[in-house]
Every structure is written in C-alpha cells, then in structure tokens.
Amino acid sequence: MEQLSLFGANESLRFPEELLEFYPQFLDTKQCMDLLKVLIEEVPWRQQIIQMYGKPVVTPRLTAWYGDTNRTYRFSGTKFDPVPWTDSLLHLKKEIETLTKLEFNSVLLNYYRDGNDSVAWHADNERELGTRPHIASLSIGQARDFEFRRKADHSGKYALRLNNGSLLIMKGDLQHHWEHRIPKSKKDIAERINMTFRLIRE
Ligand SMILES: O=C(O)CCC(=O)C(=O)O
Ligand SMILES: [Fe+2]
C-alpha cells in the first residue's frame, strides 16, 4: 500500500518522519460510509469525565473502548473497562496488523460530532502502553487536522489532515517528545470517528 510524504518539503526536514507512517486510503469511501453509520448507531458512546492538569473536565467528544476483556486502560486519569470486540472491529484490527506487522489488543474510539468536538494537547504515554508505544489511528468521516508540537518547544506546530479512510501509525519516540491534538473548528463540519488501536502490555 502506498505511503505519502507527510509534510511539505521544508517542514519534512524538521519533523522526524520516521516516527509516523501514513496510508491515506486504507479504507475506500464505501467501506467508510458503511462503517461510520454502523458505529454511530451501535457503539455504546459515553461522554467521560477526565482529569486535565488535575481538574475534572467533561471530554468534548464521545468515546468507547473495545478490547480483550482482561485489560483495563487509563486515559488522562480515567479508567476504561473494555467492551468485547465486535466482528467488524476485530476484522479491522487484523487487517491493520497484517499491513503493519504490529500487534494490538484494544481500540479507543473517539466520536467527534461536529467542529466543537476536539481532543486537547496530550501524548499517549500511559504506563500500560510501555516505553515506545505503537498506535494505529484510523479515521473515517469528516477530515480533521491532526496537530503535533514538541513537548519542549511550543512555538511551532505541524498539521496533518486525517482524511476519510486514512491510517496513521505513530511509533518510536513520538509519545516521548511530541504532543498531538485535534483542534476545534469554527466551520460547519460533519461527524468523524477515529479509532486508535493500541497494545496494552500489562
Ligand atoms: O482523533 C484523533 O485523530 C486522535 C485521537 C487521539 O489522539 C487519542 O485517542 O489519543
Ligand atoms: Fe492521542
């Protein structure tokens, strides 16, 4: 499957591209439309209260966590109890594992209902993921900007447009040195679901 150069020529000199792999058309448009509809209707979506910088905050999006049921996972201080795999999510997991030669045992789903929904700057560096976690991020629906900035230097940032059907692999030291977010959008935009496949190691 074809991978793309991620950023413009100048930017790519500075962003360590070996920390990412990007497959812009992992799923085709028809697969995405079907999946978006099924997931919106069938997933037990919840709006979580999480800890952000020590304060309880209602997440500005809906979430659900699927995975092997003997695992629990923390995101920003909140424990998730996994829902058992559905056939379609398990099938996607296997396809991603075949393509990437990586292993996963859970998936966190994020549902961005409109431009008001977002995820704030963070790194996916929970202890359960191990020291250099690999994460596969599959996006369907409305394309949104995925922004990165260095933890040590907030003066600049990079944006990658995550289009319908795209698969982004985050790996290596990315979660140690970089943060990412999905900013809000003022435009009148449609819904998006993102699935982050992860390997919980304990
Ligand atoms: O929605 C996205 O593309 C990113 C979600 C994310 O960063 C996360 O679930 O950790
Ligand atoms: Fe993340």
Side-chain angles (χ1 to χ4, degrees):
M1 193 174 287
E2 196 200 344
Q3 277 194 55
L4 269 197
S5 171
L6 299 179
F7 303 98
N10 290 335
E11 283 177 333
S12 68
L13 293 174
R14 285 174 285 132
F15 189 91
E17 289 199 21
E18 72 277 9
L19 303 180
L20 300 173
E21 286 170 35
F22 189 55
Y23 302 92
Q25 284 201 333
F26 179 73
L27 296 179
D28 67 33
T29 310
K30 166 87 171 77
Q31 283 174 299
C32 289
M33 277 172 56
D34 294 347
L35 190 59
L36 190 66
K37 189 163 175 293
V38 169
L39 291 176
I40 287 172
E41 282 171 10
E42 294 181 0
V43 169
W45 295 109
R46 287 167 57 185
Q47 194 156 18
Q48 298 273 351
I49 314 280
I50 59 165
Q51 301 293 320
M52 276 282 178
Y53 304 104
K55 294 203 186 106
V57 178
V58 179
T59 56
R61 65 191 179 283
L62 304 184
T63 57
W65 185 49
Y66 287 78
D68 301 353
T69 47
N70 55 350
R71 311 271 171 174
T72 47
Y73 180 61
R74 255 171 284 268
F75 182 84
S76 298
T78 304
K79 255 173 117 177
F80 287 82
D81 285 320
V83 179
W85 289 103
T86 62
D87 288 348
S88 62
L89 288 174
L90 202 54
H91 179 73
L92 284 172
K93 173 178 104 80
K94 286 181 181 152
E95 290 203 333
I96 294 170
E97 287 177 332
T98 304
L99 174 69
T100 61
K101 313 271 192 300
L102 296 169
E103 186 197 342
F104 303 95
N105 59 14
S106 63
V107 59
L108 176 65
L109 272 61
N110 289 301
Y111 176 17
Y112 303 84
R113 294 158 291 182
D114 56 30
N116 259 322
D117 278 354
S118 59
V119 64
W121 287 115
H122 70 280
D124 293 296
N125 55 5
E126 324 297 308
R127 198 171 40 81
E128 293 91 328
L129 295 174
T131 46
R132 301 173 87 225
H134 57 265
I135 296 175
S137 166
L138 176 58
S139 297
I140 54 174
Q142 174 68 49
R144 298 281 298 255
D145 286 337
F146 190 59
E147 295 183 343
F148 298 90
R149 71 177 181 193
R150 282 195 175 81
K151 285 185 186 173
D153 173 11
H154 292 177
S155 65
K157 64 182 189 206
Y158 300 86
L160 177 61
R161 191 110 176 124
L162 296 183
N163 58 281
N164 188 29
S166 67
L167 179 69
L168 176 71
I169 313 297
M170 298 184 266
K171 57 186 184 174
D173 284 337
L174 186 76
Q175 308 298 337
H176 291 275
H177 301 305
W178 295 81
E179 297 175 316
H180 55 266
R181 71 166 181 177
I182 300 280
K184 293 185 191 304
S185 168
K186 290 204 172 62
K187 295 187 189 128
D188 182 18
I189 56 172
E191 53 220 340
R192 164 179 188 261
I193 289 177
N194 172 263
M195 291 157 254
T196 52
F197 292 84
R198 298 154 188 255
L199 178 63
I200 312 295
R201 294 181 182 273
E202 54 184 76

